[in-house]
Amino acid sequence: MSEETNVQSTEAVQEAADTATPDFANVAVIKKGSVVSGKIVKIEDNQAIVDIGYKYDGVVPLKELSSLQLENAGSAVQVGQEVELKVMELNDAKERLVLSKRVIDGAKAWDELQAKLESGEIIEAEVAEVVKGGLVVDVGLRGFIPASMVERHFVEDFSDYKGRTLRLKVKELDREKNKVVLSQKDVLDQDFEANKQQVMANLSVGQQLEGTVQRLTPFGAFVDIGGVDGLVHISEMAWHHVKEPSEVVKEGDKVTVQVLKVDPAADRISLSIRAAQPGPWQQAAGQFAPNTIVSGTVKRLVSFGAFVEIAPGVEGLVHISQIAHRHIGTPHEVLKEGQEVQVKILDFNPDEKRVSLSIKETEEAPEQPAKADKRPERREKQPQLQNENVSLSNQSMSLTLGERFGDKLSKFK
């Protein structure tokens, strides 16, 4: 064998030896507690395998992938993803390298969340769990949203919130207790206030709007008129008297309202349902004509008569003289409040909101009893005279006087 061939063979053997032996000069130097970067190369159910450039790959156990409780590793990382990790355990003899993504994420999260707490910045996070008393999200740490801080209104069932992305504000941080409290309600309140100011600035008295009844109270109903609630007082719910708001509307009803008053300083909007509707006198204008008989309800009794409602919000007066055919001293003798009666319309004037009514003209007048003539019969009595030659009867008197005066007159002639 020539010398040249021998040299080439020696170089080939050396090259093969170099290839078989790892290049430890380029291997990362790590120790427990080190922070390293790596790439996810494999995902198993309970762990992720990571290449950090060491002699062998490291593993990230399921519990070290996230601050949340995970069902599998694939819900936290993906193959090819670059991650930052902390060395939790290193044993070259057993080629065991245990890493944690959770610790690194948590350390960064505390600083970031503290800054967001101070600035009031809004963050977004997906709901990972629905637990008793609220929701859990991953914000680098296990963040908790109490039930009272999820919405502006009460929510009974949160089961459909899992997977939703919420806009949140940091409410409370406590590193010692590892406590992170978040709130979506604060974000919604902020949006509501901004929208309310804009809506109120565009409202004007007399304006009519479409709204939705949000809730009822003993004194009225709150109506949403575009993200802002206004109050319809019970006295403004209808033209007729309303005892309970539920008599007129229920939650969820669509209603037309008129703006009565806007008070930004007091944060109050006063609305009216009845003002947005035709008044009862307008509605009744073509319904009633004089001399017609209609049904009504006695609403009030006063000393001079009774007020009877013949249509919602339309009351007319039955004067005491028109209540009964007989004389009565007070309307209470014949009528009582709430009584249904038949009335005749004597006069109807919607412009002046005046109706004159009569009850007695709807009834037949009772027969008047015959009056007995108590005066004694007059009998003509002839005066009796002692002189039988004188008669006082009309006929005899006239003849007698005529004869006598005639005799006297003849003598004068």
Side-chain angles (χ1 to χ4, degrees):
M1 182 180 294
S2 64
E3 183 178 353
E4 182 179 355
T5 302
N6 188 37
V7 171
Q8 289 177 348
S9 178
T10 301
E11 290 177 351
V13 171
Q14 182 63 43
E15 184 178 350
D18 291 343
T19 303
T21 303
D23 185 7
F24 290 105
N26 295 325
V27 174
V29 178
I30 61 173
K31 59 182 180 178
K32 185 177 180 179
S34 297
V35 177
V36 298
S37 295
K39 180 184 291 186
I40 305 294
V41 295
K42 186 179 180 181
I43 294 177
E44 299 174 352
D45 286 343
N46 60 349
Q47 63 183 11
I49 310 301
V50 188
D51 177 10
I52 63 169
Y54 195 56
K55 293 181 289 184
Y56 46 87
D57 292 337
V59 297
V60 184
L62 190 64
K63 68 177 183 179
E64 295 297 335
L65 281 169
S66 172
S67 58
L68 305 179
Q69 185 175 350
L70 303 176
E71 294 180 0
N72 56 71
S75 61
V77 291
Q78 298 175 345
V79 173
Q81 181 180 343
E82 296 285 344
V83 290
E84 194 171 5
L85 308 159
K86 185 173 183 177
V87 178
M88 306 299 292
E89 184 180 343
L90 179 61
N91 189 331
D92 286 334
K94 296 182 178 181
E95 293 190 350
R96 178 172 174 78
L97 174 60
V98 180
L99 307 166
S100 175
K101 178 176 179 293
R102 175 183 62 83
V103 172
I104 296 299
D105 290 346
K108 289 181 179 179
W110 280 116
D111 294 336
E112 291 175 357
L113 292 173
Q114 183 63 44
K116 289 177 171 59
L117 173 63
E118 294 170 0
S119 67
E121 183 181 343
I122 297 173
I123 61 176
E124 292 189 355
E126 184 179 306
V127 177
E129 298 176 57
V130 176
V131 297
K132 183 178 181 180
L135 308 174
V136 174
V137 295
D138 183 3
V139 287
L141 295 163
R142 184 181 187 276
F144 179 63
I145 310 170
S148 61
M149 297 184 185
V150 177
E151 301 286 354
R152 298 186 71 242
H153 57 273
F154 173 74
V155 178
E156 186 174 355
D157 182 11
F158 289 98
S159 58
D160 63 343
Y161 275 70
K162 186 173 182 179
R164 288 192 193 182
T165 298
L166 305 181
R167 298 167 64 233
L168 306 164
K169 278 192 174 186
V170 181
K171 192 77 173 177
E172 182 183 350
L173 293 176
D174 191 331
R175 291 198 183 199
E176 292 183 2
K177 296 181 180 179
N178 198 34
K179 183 179 181 181
V180 179
V181 179
L182 306 163
S183 172
Q184 179 181 240
K185 181 177 179 293
D186 285 6
V187 177
L188 298 177
D189 285 344
Q190 180 178 306
D191 292 346
F192 174 79
E193 287 300 321
N195 180 65
K196 181 175 66 176
Q197 295 303 319
Q198 183 177 0
V199 171
M200 292 182 75
N202 294 327
L203 290 178
S204 58
V205 174
Q207 183 179 359
Q208 291 194 3
L209 303 163
E210 296 298 318
T212 304
V213 178
Q214 294 296 307
R215 58 192 175 93
L216 303 181
T217 68
F219 52 84
F222 285 93
V223 177
D224 181 354
I225 53 172
V228 179
D229 289 351
L231 174 64
V232 179
H233 191 266
I234 192 169
S235 62
E236 291 294 335
M237 301 198 75
W239 285 101
H240 61 276
H241 176 69
V242 178
K243 292 182 179 179
E244 298 286 342
S246 57
E247 296 176 11
V248 181
V249 294
K250 62 180 183 298
E251 292 183 3
D253 279 357
K254 301 294 183 182
V255 293
T256 301
V257 294
Q258 182 170 306
V259 179
L260 298 181
K261 185 179 180 181
V262 181
D263 189 348
D267 196 20
R268 184 181 302 164
I269 302 171
S270 299
L271 305 171
S272 174
I273 293 176
R274 76 171 190 172
Q277 301 173 342
W281 291 93
Q282 293 173 284
Q283 294 178 345
Q287 296 182 23
F288 303 102
N291 299 319
T292 56
I293 296 175
V294 298
S295 297
T297 304
V298 177
K299 289 296 183 179
R300 291 176 292 141
L301 296 177
V302 293
S303 61
F304 53 85
F307 286 94
V308 176
E309 185 180 60
I310 58 173
V314 178
E315 292 183 8
L317 173 64
V318 181
H319 190 267
I320 192 169
S321 64
Q322 292 294 327
I323 292 177
H325 287 280
R326 64 183 176 85
H327 174 76
I328 58 174
T330 170
H332 292 84
E333 296 178 22
V334 180
L335 302 172
K336 60 181 179 180
E337 292 183 358
Q339 181 179 343
E340 298 293 325
V341 292
Q342 292 291 105
V343 291
K344 183 177 182 179
I345 298 174
L346 303 179
D347 180 53
F348 184 78
N349 190 330
D351 293 334
E352 296 181 7
K353 298 180 180 180
R354 179 173 54 81
V355 182
S356 297
L357 305 171
S358 173
I359 293 176
K360 78 175 186 180
E361 290 199 18
T362 65
E363 304 167 346
E364 288 188 11
E367 283 189 21
Q368 296 294 329
K371 294 183 179 180
D373 190 357
K374 297 181 180 179
R375 291 178 300 174
E377 292 185 1
R378 292 182 179 178
R379 294 181 179 177
E380 293 185 358
K381 293 183 178 180
Q382 299 296 333
Q384 300 295 324
L385 297 177
Q386 299 297 325
N387 190 345
E388 56 183 10
N389 294 320
V390 178
S391 171
L392 294 181
S393 66
N394 291 338
Q395 188 176 2
S396 61
M397 181 180 288
S398 60
L399 292 174
T400 305
L401 290 176
E403 292 173 351
R404 291 190 175 188
F405 278 104
D407 292 342
K408 294 286 185 184
L409 290 172
S410 62
K411 289 182 180 181
F412 285 108
K413 291 181 180 179

